[in-house]
C-alpha cells in the first residue's frame, strides 16, 4: 500500500497494526523505516513529466526509489534485535498461504461488525481527513521555508550544502534544491529540475530528495504514529540511508540506461496508428503489469526456497 498510495499511507496502516497488536513496537518501527515510500504517479507524472518534461526519468526515479527502499528494509532487519519478542507458536494449518490469507480475511470481516455502507463511509471520511492533513502540512512548511529565507537562515544552509556538493564533484547550484527539499519534497524536486546543472546530477539529487521526503512528510508521519507509541528516530535514520542509496542507484541507472529501455516506449514506435493508440497503451500497460508480477513471483519463489533450505539445514 505504501508503494501504491505513497506518503503517508503506510504510516496509517502501520499505526493500525500497532493499535490492534498485530505487530510489536520494534516491528512497527522496522516497517515504517522502509515501506513509507513515494507513489509512482508522483514520480512519473509530477516529477518526470511535469518538472523535467522527460517521461523516461520517471522509470529511473521509481526504480532507484523502490530498490533502495528494499535495501533499507534489509538493513533494518538487524535493528532492535534485543527487543524482539518470541515468535508465536506456528499455527496447525496445512493449507497453502493463499488459502490461509483468505481465511484470515474472512475472520477479520467477521470480527468487524460494520456493513459495506458503513465501511464505504468510513473509508471516504478517513481519505478526506488524510488529504487535508497532507495539504495542511505542505502549506505550513512552504510558509516556514519562505520565512526562514526572508530572515536569511537559508543562506547558511546553502553554504553548507554547496560545500558538501563540491566535495563530491557536484554543481554547487544544486544546494538550493537540497535546502528546499530538506523541508518540502515538491519544492525541492521542482528547484532541482530548474537548476543549471548536468542532468545526471539533477536526477541523483531529485532521487535523494524524494527518498528523504522532507520534514513536511516527517511531520505528517509523526502526527499519525505519535498516538501508537512508535518512535520516529529509526524512521528518520531510515530516510537518511534511503536518500543516499537512492542517489547512488540513480547514478548507476542513468549510466546503464537499462531501466528506460524496459519501461519506456516512444509513441512514434506504435504500429497501430493514431486511431489505435489505445491498443498500444494497453499493450504497454499489460507488459509492465506482467513484468511486475513476474518480479514478485520470482521473489516469492526465491524466499520460499531459502526458507525451505534453512529448515533443511536446521534438521
Amino acid at each position: 500500500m505504501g508503494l501504491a498510495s505513497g506518503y503517508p499511507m503506510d504510516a496509517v496502516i502501520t499505526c493500525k497494526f500497532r493499535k490492534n497488536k498485530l505487530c510489536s513496537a520494534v516491528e512497527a518501527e522496522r516497517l515504517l523505516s522502509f515501506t513509507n515510500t513515494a507513489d509512482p504517479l508522483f514520480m512519473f507524472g509530477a516529477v518526470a513529466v511535469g518538472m523535467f518534461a522527460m517521461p523516461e526519468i520517471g522509470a529511473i526515479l521509481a526504480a532507484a526509489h523502490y530498490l533502495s527502499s528494499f535495501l533499507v528494509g534489509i538493513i533494518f532487519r538487524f535493528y532492535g534485535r534485543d527487543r524482539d519478542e518470541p515468535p508465536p507458536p506456528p499455527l496447525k494449518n496445512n493449507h497453502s498461504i493463499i488459502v490461509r490469507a483468505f481465511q484470515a480475511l474472512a475472520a477479520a470481516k467477521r470480527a468487524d461488525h460494520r456493513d459495506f455502507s458503513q465501511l464505504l463511509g468510513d473509508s471516504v471520511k478517513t481519505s478526506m481527513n488524510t488529504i487535508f492533513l497532507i495539504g495542511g502540512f505542505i502549506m505550513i512548511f512552504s510558509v516556514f521555508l519562505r520565512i526562514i529565507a526572508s530572515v536569511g537562515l537559508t543562506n547558511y544552509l546553502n553554504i553548507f550544502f554547496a560545500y558538501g556538493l563540491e566535495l563530491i564533484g557536484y554543481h554547487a547550484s544544486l544546494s538550493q534544491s537540497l535546502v528546499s527539499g530538506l523541508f518540502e519534497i515538491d519544492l525541492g524536486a521542482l528547484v532541482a529540475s530548474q537548476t543549471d546543472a548536468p542532468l545526471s546530477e539533477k536526477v541523483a539529487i531529485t532521487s535523494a530528495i524524494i527518498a528523504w521526503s522532507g520534514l513536511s512528510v516527517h511531520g505528517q508521519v509523526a502526527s499519525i504514529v505519535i498516538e501508537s507509541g512508535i518512535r520516529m528516530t529509526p524512521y528518520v535514520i531510515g530516510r537518511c540511508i534511503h536518500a543516499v542509496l537512492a542517489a547512488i542507484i540513480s547514478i548507476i541507472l542513468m549510466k546503464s540506461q537499462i531501466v528506460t529501455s524496459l519501461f519506456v516506449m516512444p509513441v512514434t514506435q506504435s504500429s497501430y496508428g493514431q486511431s489505435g493508440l489505445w491498443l498500444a497503451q494497453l499493450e504497454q500497460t499489460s507488459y509492465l503489469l506482467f513484468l511486475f508480477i513476474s518480479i514478485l513471483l520470482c521473489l516469492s519463489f526465491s524466499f520460499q526456497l531459502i526458507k525451505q533450505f534453512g529448515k533443511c539445514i536446521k534438521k
Side-chain angles (χ1 to χ4, degrees):
M1 288 302 298
L3 185 150
S5 303
Y7 307 119
M9 181 51 62
D10 189 72
V12 176
I13 298 175
T14 304
C15 183
K16 289 182 179 179
F17 281 175
R18 182 58 187 146
K19 285 183 177 179
N20 296 330
K21 297 182 179 180
L22 297 176
C23 65
S24 63
V26 67
E27 287 174 333
E29 292 167 2
R30 287 180 189 144
L31 276 175
L32 196 61
S33 67
F34 78 100
T35 54
N36 197 48
T37 57
D39 61 282
L41 182 61
F42 171 72
M43 289 182 282
F44 279 92
V47 179
V49 177
M51 300 178 187
F52 281 89
M54 298 178 65
E56 61 271 19
I57 297 297
I60 295 175
L61 291 174
H65 189 74
Y66 296 128
L67 284 174
S68 56
S69 175
F70 183 72
L71 292 176
V72 172
I74 295 177
I75 294 172
F76 269 80
R77 180 183 186 276
F78 306 98
Y79 163 75
R81 299 295 292 270
D82 56 333
R83 294 192 291 136
D84 271 332
E85 300 176 358
L91 299 175
K92 295 181 179 180
N93 193 334
N94 297 323
H95 295 293
S96 66
I97 190 172
I98 297 178
V99 175
R100 282 184 282 138
F102 277 101
Q103 289 175 347
L105 177 65
K109 181 64 178 67
R110 289 193 298 268
D112 191 344
H113 302 290
R114 294 176 295 175
D115 56 15
F116 177 77
S117 59
Q118 187 175 358
L119 283 171
L120 180 61
D122 291 343
S123 64
V124 172
K125 292 177 184 177
T126 304
S127 301
M128 292 305 299
N129 290 335
T130 305
I131 289 173
F132 284 122
L133 175 70
I134 295 172
F137 269 99
I138 291 175
M139 293 173 59
I140 289 173
F141 277 89
S142 298
V143 173
F144 180 72
L145 182 60
R146 179 60 64 89
I147 291 173
I148 65 173
S150 300
V151 300
L153 292 179
T154 55
N155 295 332
Y156 297 101
L157 291 174
N158 273 326
I159 295 173
F160 173 76
F161 283 121
Y163 179 73
L165 289 170
E166 289 176 351
L167 286 178
I168 61 175
Y170 271 43
H171 207 282
S173 61
L174 289 167
S175 61
Q176 182 60 47
S177 63
L178 289 175
V179 173
S180 300
L182 176 66
F183 296 95
E184 219 288 308
I185 179 176
D186 302 87
L187 295 177
L190 179 61
V191 175
S193 66
Q194 298 173 346
T195 303
D196 185 15
L199 179 61
S200 60
E201 296 182 8
K202 293 196 293 184
V203 172
I205 295 300
T206 302
S207 185
I209 291 172
I210 295 174
W212 165 250
S213 69
L215 295 178
S216 174
V217 173
H218 296 185
Q220 299 170 27
V221 173
S223 66
I224 292 171
V225 304
I226 190 67
E227 57 190 32
S228 62
I230 302 174
R231 298 188 303 173
M232 284 293 294
T233 302
Y235 171 77
V236 176
I237 295 175
R239 296 300 93 211
C240 294
I241 300 174
H242 192 186
V244 174
L245 293 177
I248 294 173
I249 296 176
S250 295
I251 296 172
I252 297 173
L253 295 179
M254 283 291 291
K255 293 181 179 180
S256 64
Q257 296 294 324
I258 296 177
V259 175
T260 54
S261 63
L262 287 174
F263 289 93
V264 177
M265 181 187 71
V267 177
T268 55
Q269 291 185 3
S270 174
S271 58
Y272 298 100
Q274 187 64 31
S275 60
L277 184 59
W278 67 273
L279 290 175
Q281 295 174 347
L282 179 63
E283 177 186 354
Q284 182 68 0
T285 303
S286 302
Y287 165 72
L288 294 176
L289 181 61
F290 174 77
L291 183 63
F292 181 69
I293 294 176
S294 300
I295 293 173
L296 291 180
L297 287 174
C298 290
L299 290 174
S300 299
F301 283 127
S302 300
F303 177 77
Q304 289 297 326
L305 288 175
I306 294 173
K307 188 176 180 180
Q308 294 296 329
F309 182 71
K311 290 181 179 179
C312 293
I313 292 178
K314 290 180 179 179
K315 290 181 180 179

